[in-house]
Amino acid sequence: MDNRVVITGMGVVSPNGIGLETFLHAIQNGISGVRHQQNLSDLKFSCQIAGLPDVSTELAAQYFTPLELRNFNSSGILYGVIAGLDAWKDAGLEINQTDEPFWDYGMVFGAGTSGIDRFREAIYTIDKLEIRRLGSTVVAQTMNSGVSAYLSGKIGLGNQITTNSSACCTGTESLLMAYERIKSGQANVILAGATSDSGPYIWGGFDGMKVCTYKHNDTPTQGSRPMSATASGFVPGSGAGAFVVESLTHAKARGAKIYAEILGGHTNSGGQRGAGTMTAPNSTAVQKCIVKALENAKVEANEIDAINGHLTATAMDALEIKNWTVALNRKGSDFPSINALKGMTGHCLTASGSIECVASVLQIHHDFLFPNVNCEDLNPAIAELIDVEKIPQEMKSIKINTLIKASFGFGDVNACIVFKKYNP
């Protein structure tokens, strides 16, 4: 079945910008959303900086009714609903006002947790023997699929409604799952994306593992340093990214604008074998994921114009670059241009793939590469592998025809997707 799949709408809630216009301006100009967080300081965190989207009460009220906002305390659902509804509106699609759902429209929207702060409130309420004071929305706010449940109800979706969860691969994987459902003819439109809760109860575990930087509490915008020689750990973040993924036939029939085409991709795992562990990648699996993604997309390695990496600002950055060079069999000046969004946003965990995919597609659509920030002191191990010119530190105007984006996550899991500029 020759069923081409395209992206017709996007929405984003990022630490450095909410909404496509603000986010586009931020990434083109290297604007960071990482800030000092007083609550992390009060709680004696080693890392007291984070990328936190600035969602005002007024903005939330545009997406939720006053009744929905009563006792509402789920940041991940908040971010996901804003990004998802913005993507739906951006695609020019309507909210269903009838009693019949949109049978051919569905959703794959990922999350790592849901409503961690609401869950904490519920635990204390139960421990105080006040079960009847829990309220009727605790389950919806704290179930992992809460973001999909809220969004599908607001839009009226009748096809598959699901929430995937694969650590840092979640957002990229959700796009691939949407692509596959449309490619197989099981849906015309899928709202895809991922979200991540914010706050100390999400970020604390990483701080306890000592994988977050502690060196930049007084210089927060310099803290997230992908590919830098002085990278000292990742900066936690949160937010959401969303996409309307659609069959080309359906998109053309309704005259939709098209941001980019999804050519294919691949997901796999290293099985926590060899060098792979819960927190470290099996390089063989990473390389296989990239190679298989190209095969699935029917793209040759020499056709790749740009890479949007996972690149977390940890000791694994140089290994990731090495894996790219092996998988693509390209290095030095032959290597594609590569950039890392996390320098501006921190690591948005389960939302990272979706937010970074929004940035990737914007680059294709608007013909530019966003700058790599905070790597003026490039890691020498990376400089040995690829030409410094392939790691732009200022925005670069360039026509990108084919871009590959990868995410790698805890549990030794990998996801890789290939986007292309839409050509009728």
Side-chain angles (χ1 to χ4, degrees):
M1 180 185 296
D2 184 22
N3 199 10
R4 293 169 68 185
V5 180
V6 294
I7 292 170
T8 57
M10 295 193 293
V12 65
V13 175
S14 173
N16 66 340
I18 298 173
L20 290 180
E21 192 174 320
T22 306
F23 182 65
L24 176 63
H25 174 77
I27 66 173
Q28 287 182 326
N29 292 278
I31 297 171
S32 174
V34 177
R35 302 283 183 270
H36 183 265
Q37 306 294 329
Q38 186 59 44
N39 63 338
L40 301 186
S41 178
D42 295 342
L43 291 166
K44 308 298 183 189
F45 273 50
S46 297
C47 179
Q48 298 168 9
I49 61 176
L52 183 68
D54 184 17
V55 180
S56 66
T57 303
E58 293 75 19
L59 183 63
Q62 295 176 29
Y63 296 83
F64 293 83
T65 66
L67 182 61
E68 286 173 327
L69 288 172
R70 189 191 295 171
N71 296 321
F72 184 84
N73 193 13
S74 178
S75 55
I77 291 176
L78 175 68
Y79 304 149
V81 167
I82 293 172
L85 290 179
D86 280 359
W88 200 256
K89 181 180 178 182
D90 183 47
L93 291 166
E94 296 180 356
I95 300 296
N96 192 330
Q97 306 289 353
T98 73
D99 289 336
E100 190 91 355
F102 291 137
W103 297 117
D104 294 325
Y105 297 0
M107 183 188 308
V108 181
F109 215 98
T113 58
S114 183
I116 198 79
D117 290 313
R118 188 73 183 94
F119 200 57
R120 179 177 182 269
E121 290 173 359
I123 288 169
Y124 279 110
T125 302
I126 291 167
D127 287 349
K128 288 190 289 186
L129 311 181
E130 297 175 346
I131 293 171
R132 293 185 180 179
R133 297 187 63 183
L134 281 173
S136 60
T137 63
V138 167
V139 173
Q141 287 186 52
T142 58
M143 65 186 188
N144 217 43
S145 56
V147 63
S148 295
Y150 270 85
L151 268 171
S152 62
K154 286 180 175 295
I155 298 171
L157 303 175
N159 204 272
Q160 179 186 29
I161 304 296
T162 192
T163 296
N164 65 309
S165 189
S166 300
C168 310
C169 291
T170 301
T172 305
E173 182 187 72
S174 73
L175 261 178
L176 283 169
M177 292 172 72
Y179 163 82
E180 288 161 0
R181 189 158 184 88
I182 291 169
K183 190 80 174 171
S184 64
Q186 297 181 78
N188 287 326
V189 173
I190 296 286
L191 180 61
T195 189
S196 179
D197 277 332
S198 60
Y201 304 111
I202 293 295
W203 301 329
F206 300 104
D207 197 76
M209 288 173 65
K210 296 184 167 57
V211 295
C212 297
T213 182
Y214 62 89
K215 295 184 176 180
H216 295 274
N217 291 335
D218 297 325
T219 53
T221 61
Q222 297 171 33
S224 184
R225 308 183 64 78
M227 297 188 282
S228 162
T230 51
S232 53
F234 76 75
V235 172
S238 57
F243 306 82
V244 172
V245 184
E246 190 168 354
S247 75
L248 177 59
T249 304
H250 190 272
K252 287 170 71 174
R254 65 183 191 87
K257 72 172 176 294
I258 295 172
Y259 283 106
E261 185 171 359
I262 301 175
L263 295 185
H266 190 68
T267 58
N268 75 355
S269 169
Q272 299 177 45
R273 297 295 188 268
T277 68
M278 181 65 75
T279 57
N282 177 331
S283 288
T284 303
V286 169
Q287 294 164 22
K288 274 183 172 290
C289 188
I290 296 166
V291 170
K292 290 282 189 184
L294 292 173
E295 287 177 3
N296 181 257
K298 296 180 174 59
V299 168
E300 298 294 329
N302 61 11
E303 295 180 79
I304 298 297
D305 301 309
I307 299 168
N308 183 242
H310 186 60
L311 297 167
T312 56
T314 64
M316 293 297 172
D317 286 3
L319 178 60
E320 179 180 334
I321 298 297
K322 182 179 180 182
N323 286 329
W324 281 110
T325 63
V326 173
L328 299 178
N329 193 26
R330 296 175 65 181
K331 59 184 179 180
S333 59
D334 181 49
F335 195 76
S337 297
I338 187 167
N339 54 14
L341 187 69
K342 292 180 180 71
M344 294 183 246
T345 61
H347 188 348
C348 297
L349 305 173
T350 42
S352 62
S354 57
I355 294 172
E356 290 161 20
C357 281
V358 171
S360 298
V361 172
L362 284 173
Q363 290 183 119
I364 293 171
H365 189 64
H366 292 286
D367 300 319
F368 75 99
L369 277 169
F370 64 76
N372 289 285
V373 302
N374 298 330
C375 70
E376 61 281 352
D377 58 337
L378 187 64
N379 185 331
I382 292 175
E384 286 179 13
L385 294 166
I386 62 176
D387 196 307
V388 65
E389 297 296 319
K390 300 299 181 175
I391 307 171
Q393 297 190 35
E394 294 182 356
M395 191 192 89
K396 192 174 175 183
S397 293
I398 180 175
K399 184 175 180 180
I400 301 170
N401 192 50
T402 308
L403 181 149
I404 188 167
K405 194 274 174 289
S407 299
F408 312 116
F410 270 27
D412 198 11
V413 292
N414 312 302
C416 196
I417 190 167
V418 181
F419 300 110
K420 185 175 182 180
K421 184 177 281 290
Y422 171 63
N423 183 353

